């Protein structure tokens, strides 16, 4: 028998399936076809051609071929293959991440012109004044009315029109998304520079020169303190590639937090910029994908999964805030977009830049070993000084008073000078715990080993990770007492306290709750950018990327928790956050200062960090990691199992790993209950594998997976493997 088609079916199985071609020719590798799979019809991707691996009589023919040619370019196919192998994850599920939903549902891969939002006839006659309660929709409708010929998504984004507003108008029948033939001159043939570049300082120039000299694969670690002008380096390097008609792919941790960066790109370059974010419709996402695949998108900015965007003429990949843990997917296909971006650049043979003020120890180690080229910007631009970091001993602080006298005075002083201040706590809601003063009852989540947070504004107890909500009890559910008290402080409580303390000052709270409504983040940030004295209260949404020119002071509460964390990455991640927050202050003429309220003033690591030198701090951590054999000096894989039966997960993991003990290169830790054993009603157990060599680790994993699959309990537990885990809880 001749060759068969090996397809990756979108099911969680770690294997390919054989099918027969419909005609004399085998469908192209990377093209889609429809097949009968058990009793379902599924759309899948041709992964390989080869000899049949099962009896010929059992192989079914393909039902339908969807594409003439590969829809996944060879570099992406290679990337997906490599990723499936490395993460030991089913290829079908890797493809689920890599392909836009529309393509997985069978939509055509080629587009018919430009995708345009246009006002409908009904929209013309709509009552615009009737939309006063939906100002974003009103704005969008007026905008579409002014642009009769319609507007593309990127154009609408630059006019600050939101997807939600457009979708709402479409629902009313007032706006529509249509395909129109492409008319504009390709961007490669137009002048692309919208404004003159800044004159780089010597350090920026050195980094730019190094990057401009590179046309081939090389990983650059652009290691620049906050405010050192990394973005200007990106811009000048991007200019070279855009000038040569090449595309730029940029990965960022969270789109919503980078409006300033995107705005700067738009000012600098007259080229189509496509932003991939979760607010896009399937159709729009597909369109951006196609525009990138055809080379009509010049700059593509997106989060994690944008690493799978096809590029017709790839020039360079940039990963901004490269240390950010959100580049690692925490469920399903647990990949690191940062690591995949490096592989992608290698496959494409183009340069990649990882930009950050606080590189991960893994990346720093790679730079020290010479695997990455280390470009450093140790100083802030212009006259800006490095922020001063101060520890404030709060071990005696009354737990009912989240802010110390000293912190309050510092806030007062900053406001009196007409400047702005920020209070940071990484916890939203009013208080993390409600308890009974008589019997000790605590507001525990019924499904997890965790407390429920009191959200006073919403009048609820909430557990953020499992979305459990309960009304606030008026009496203790255990003893009936009315003596309910709260412990700890979240952003809501801080806001309330600060409003009482500074009644005449503007207060801006920024967290997931206060910015849930589209456009509200922009509105809150506007207040800050107006420059009047004010206090910002917020969570890590405040820590990243923002440039607040009048912010002099930041105060952090509970920033030191990570230094006591059971997770070995705790101190590294806490330090990154601390330096990010410090980096929001003193970005222009006035010096900036961060006050850390701490209960462990003697912690040597914390004291070291206060010198403001991340590298010194990182070297100290690196020593500890080396001794423990942890990354970057060892390699980790984490197996987790969970079930509603408490003993099943550990039994399964123990049985499957029983004969691993003979493999002496790999250390097997566990099975042990996860740090939070019960989550969303399931008990969780984990097994950690640690090896000094990546190879030894990866050799073991397939056997363990097989053993897990073969064990009867695997039918009654959910389990997964996380290679290079970032979160060990
Ligand atoms: P980073 O991303 O490294 O934190 P930014 O790129 O946001 O820093 O730069 C901080 C500020 O410095 C910005 O306002 C930017 O416009 C300004 N800047 C950057 N490079 C220069 C330069 N060469 N000359 C003058 N100002 C600069
Ligand atoms: Zn009670």
């Amino acid at each position: 028998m001749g060759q068969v088609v090996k397809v990756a079916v979108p099911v969680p199985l770690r294997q390919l399936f054989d099918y027969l071609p419909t005609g004399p020719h085998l469908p192209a590798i990377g093209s889609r076809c429809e097949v009968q799979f058990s009793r379902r019809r599924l759309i899948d991707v041709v992964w390989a051609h080869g000899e049949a691996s099962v009896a010929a009589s059992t192989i079914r023919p393909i039902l339908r071929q969807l594409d003439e040619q590969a829809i996944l370019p060879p570099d992406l196919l290679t990337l997906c293959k490599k990723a499936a192998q490395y993460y030991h994850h089913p290829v079908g599920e890797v493809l689920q991440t890599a392909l836009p939903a529309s393509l997985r549902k069978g939509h055509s891969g080629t587009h018919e012109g430009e995708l345009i939002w246009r006002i409908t006839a009904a929209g013309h006659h709509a009552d615009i004044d009737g939309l006063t309660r939906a100002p974003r929709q009103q704005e969008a409708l007026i905008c579409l009315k002014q642009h009769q010929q319609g507007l593309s998504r990127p154009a609408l984004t630059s006019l600050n029109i939101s997807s939600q507003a457009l979708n709402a108008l479409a629902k009313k029948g007032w706006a529509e998304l249509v395909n129109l033939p492409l008319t504009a001159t390709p961007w490669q043939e137009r002048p692309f520079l919208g404004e003159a570049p800044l004159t780089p300082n010597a350090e920026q120039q050195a980094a730019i020169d190094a990057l401009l000299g590179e046309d081939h694969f090389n990983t650059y670690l652009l290691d620049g303190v906050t405010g050192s002008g990394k973005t200007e380096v990106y811009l000048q390097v991007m200019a070279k590639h855009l000038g040569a008609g090449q595309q730029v792919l940029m990965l960022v941790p969270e789109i919503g937090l980078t409006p300033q960066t995107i705005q700067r790109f738009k000012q600098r370059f007259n080229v189509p910029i496509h932003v991939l974010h979760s607010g896009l419709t399937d159709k729009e996402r597909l369109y951006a994908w196609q525009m990138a695949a055809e080379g009509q998108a010049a700059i593509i900015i997106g989060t994690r999964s944008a690493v799978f965007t096809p590029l017709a003429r790839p020039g360079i990949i940039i990963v901004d805030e490269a240390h950010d843990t959100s580049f690692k997917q925490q469920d399903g296909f647990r990949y690191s977009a940062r690591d995949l971006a490096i592989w992608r650049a290698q496959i494409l043979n183009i340069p990649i830049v990882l930009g950050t003020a606080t590189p991960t120890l893994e990346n720093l180690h790679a730079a020290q070993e010479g695997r990455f080229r280390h470009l450093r910007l140790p100083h802030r631009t212009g006259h800006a000084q490095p922020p001063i970091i101060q520890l404030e001993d709060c071990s005696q602080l009354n737990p009912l008073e989240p802010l110390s006298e000293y912190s309050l005075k510092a806030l007062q002083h900053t406001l009196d000078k007409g400047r702005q201040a920020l209070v940071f706590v990484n916890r939203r809601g009013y208080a993390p715990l409600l308890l009974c003063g008589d019997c000790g009852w605590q507001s525990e989540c019924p499904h997890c080993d965790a407390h429920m947070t009191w959200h006073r504004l919403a009048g609820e107890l909430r557990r953020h990770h499992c979305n459990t909500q309960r009304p606030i009890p008026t009496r203790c559910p255990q003893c009936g007492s009315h003596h309910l008290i709260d412990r700890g402080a979240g952003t809501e409580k801080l806001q309330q306290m600060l409003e009482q303390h500074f009644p005449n000052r503007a207060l801006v709270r920024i967290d997931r709750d206060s910015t849930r409504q589209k456009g509200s983040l922009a509105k809150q940030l506007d207040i800050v950018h107006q420059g009047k004295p004010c206090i910002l209260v917020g969570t890590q949404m405040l820590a990243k990327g923002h440039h607040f020119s009048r912010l002099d002071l930041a105060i952090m509460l509970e920033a030191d928790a990570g230094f006591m964390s059971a997770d070995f990455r705790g101190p590294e991640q806490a330090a990154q956050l601390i330096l990010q927050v410090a980096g929001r202050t003193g970005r222009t003429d006035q010096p900036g200062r961060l006050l850390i309220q701490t209960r462990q003033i003697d912690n040597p690591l914390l004291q070291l960090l206060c010198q403001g030198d991340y590298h010194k701090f990182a070297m100290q951590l690196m020593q500890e990691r080396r001794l423990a054999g942890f990354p970057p000096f060892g390699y980790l894989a984490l197996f987790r199992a969970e079930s509603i039966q408490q003993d099943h997960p550990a039994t399964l993991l123990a049985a499957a790993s029983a004969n691993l003990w003979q493999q002496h290169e790999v250390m097997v830790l566990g099975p042990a209950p996860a740090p939070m054993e019960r989550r969303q009603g399931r008990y969780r157990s984990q097994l950690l594998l640690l090896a000094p060599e990546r190879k030894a680790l990866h050799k073991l994993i397939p056997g363990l997976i097989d053993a897990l699959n073969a064990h009867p309990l695997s039918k009654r537990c959910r389990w997964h493997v996380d290679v290079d885990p970032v979160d060990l809880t």
Side-chain angles (χ1 to χ4, degrees), residues 370-416:
R371 280 180 285 130
F372 294 177
R373 280 202 59 189
H374 203 171
L375 308 173
R376 294 194 57 182
L377 306 177
H379 304 106
R380 289 185 148 184
T381 61
H383 300 291
Q385 298 295 310
I388 293 162
I389 305 178
Q390 264 180 330
L391 291 177
E392 195 197 335
D393 184 2
C394 288
S395 47
Q396 305 302 322
L397 191 67
N398 176 351
L400 298 177
E401 314 246 323
L403 282 166
S404 72
E405 274 304 307
Y406 185 79
S407 296
L408 287 169
K409 275 201 192 109
L411 285 170
Q412 183 74 56
H413 184 64
T414 306
L415 294 170
D416 288 348

Side-chain angles (χ1 to χ4, degrees), residues 49 131 189 255 277 309 363 492 509 559 565 673 679 718:
H49 302 148
L131 277 176
E189 293 164 23
I255 292 287
H277 56 85
T309 313
N363 288 167
E492 275 184 22
R509 175 164 65 96
S565 156
R679 188 143 119 187
R718 285 193 217 149

Side-chain angles (χ1 to χ4, degrees), residues 35-109:
V35 299
Q36 188 79 33
F37 185 80
S38 131
R39 254 176 261 139
R40 291 183 291 164
R41 293 171 78 117
L42 296 176
I43 293 187
D44 52 29
V45 173
V46 177
W47 202 248
H49 302 148
E51 298 293 321
S53 51
V54 291
S57 58
T58 65
I59 305 181
R60 295 195 242 190
I62 284 170
L63 294 174
R64 180 166 73 100
Q65 247 176 269
L66 274 75
D67 308 307
E68 290 291 319
Q69 292 160 351
I71 195 154
L72 267 182
D75 72 289
L76 278 181
L77 206 61
T78 309
L79 183 71
C80 289
K81 283 185 183 178
K82 206 171 154 178
Q85 229 170 37
Y86 183 84
Y87 291 103
H88 301 271
H89 198 79
V91 283
E93 291 197 342
V94 172
L95 285 170
Q96 302 259 39
T97 305
L99 281 180
S102 304
L103 290 180
R104 283 184 268 126
K105 289 178 195 152
H107 284 270
S108 162

